[in-house]
């Protein structure tokens, strides 16, 4: 089945690290993605991880994948006000479609 | 390098009308997918077009139809609009020949049905 779940809200102080968690159900997912959506805008691809990897780092972003528990996380180091947005976790189903979570709203406070 | 573009940006229609949304894929991409994002929710897959054919379809009624042109651009048509069709419609393009088949999204078309 396809069902991606995320916590809905995260509040973080500027300069701290943010960690956004996601669980997915389709064990055949090849790739898992993180997208960012700012108000009134489309989705911006942040990063992705192949299912045979357990970690990927890209500048301030670190993705951790626990395939056994079907758990994905995104860590943003040194969170800035520009990181305030909705973050979506998505799994690739059959290489055709993406199945998204409901999104985690991240608010960065000074 | 132009990204994914969509038109129009905003659209207001009344119940029962028909609407056509347009999408041009990122340069070098040949596959277009459409998603519906209702307020406060994640995007839901409508369908995907490749080689001018609908390759896969999500759980949407036949009122939702599409087309892909030889230049890989695509249209999404929705007939007999309902209030519940109000949403942000997102187009994404990808290139299956690449290893990741990563989908890149356009800015979306905001459809309001009154």
């Amino acid at each position: 089945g396809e069902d991606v779940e995320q916590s809905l809200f995260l509040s973080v102080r500027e300069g701290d690290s943010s960690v956004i968690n996601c669980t997915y159900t389709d064990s055949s997912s090849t790739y898992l993605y993180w997208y960012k959506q700012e108000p009134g805008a489309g989705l911006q691809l942040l990063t992705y991880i192949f299912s045979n990897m357990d970690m990927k780092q890209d500048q301030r972003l670190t993705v951790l994948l626990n395939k056994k528990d079907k758990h994905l996380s995104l860590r943003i180091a040194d969170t800035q006000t520009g990181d305030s947005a909705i973050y979506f976790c998505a799994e690739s189903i059959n290489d055709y479609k993406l199945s998204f979570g409901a999104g985690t709203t991240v608010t960065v406070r000074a | 390098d132009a990204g994914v573009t969509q038109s129009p940006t905003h659209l207001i229609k009344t119940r029962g009308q028909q609407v056509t949304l347009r999408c041009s894929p990122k340069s070098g991409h040949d596959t277009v997918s459409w998603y519906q994002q209702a307020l406060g929710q994640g995007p839901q897959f409508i369908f995907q077009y490749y080689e001018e054919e609908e390759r896969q379809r999500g759980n949407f009624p036949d009122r939702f139809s599409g087309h892909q042109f030889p230049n890989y651009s695509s249209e999404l048509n929705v007939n007999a609009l309902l209030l519940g069709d109000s949403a942000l419609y997102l187009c994404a393009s990808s290139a299956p020949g690449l290893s990741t088949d990563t989908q890149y999204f356009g800015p979306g078309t905001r459809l309001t049905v009154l």
Side-chain angles (χ1 to χ4, degrees), chain A residues 1-2 12 16-17 35 45 52 56 64 67 71 102 104 106 109:
Chain A
E2 317 147 11
V12 62
D16 287 351
S17 292
Y35 286 88
L45 175 69
N52 70 352
K56 179 179 179 181
L64 295 178
K67 198 171 181 180
H71 182 266
T104 299
V106 173
R109 59 188 193 278

Side-chain angles (χ1 to χ4, degrees), chain A residues 33 35 37 95-96 98, chain B residues 35 37 48 56 100-101 103:
Chain A
Y33 300 86
Y35 286 88
Q37 187 175 40
D95 294 329
Y96 291 156
L98 296 177
Chain B
Y35 292 80
Q37 185 181 18
Q48 184 180 87
Q56 192 178 29
T100 67
D101 197 18
Q103 295 187 21

Side-chain angles (χ1 to χ4, degrees), chain B residues 48-60:
Chain B
Q48 184 180 87
Y49 277 83
Y50 172 67
E51 292 189 340
E52 302 179 50
E53 299 272 338
E54 182 183 291
R55 184 156 70 169
Q56 192 178 29
R57 188 180 185 91
N59 189 24
F60 279 80

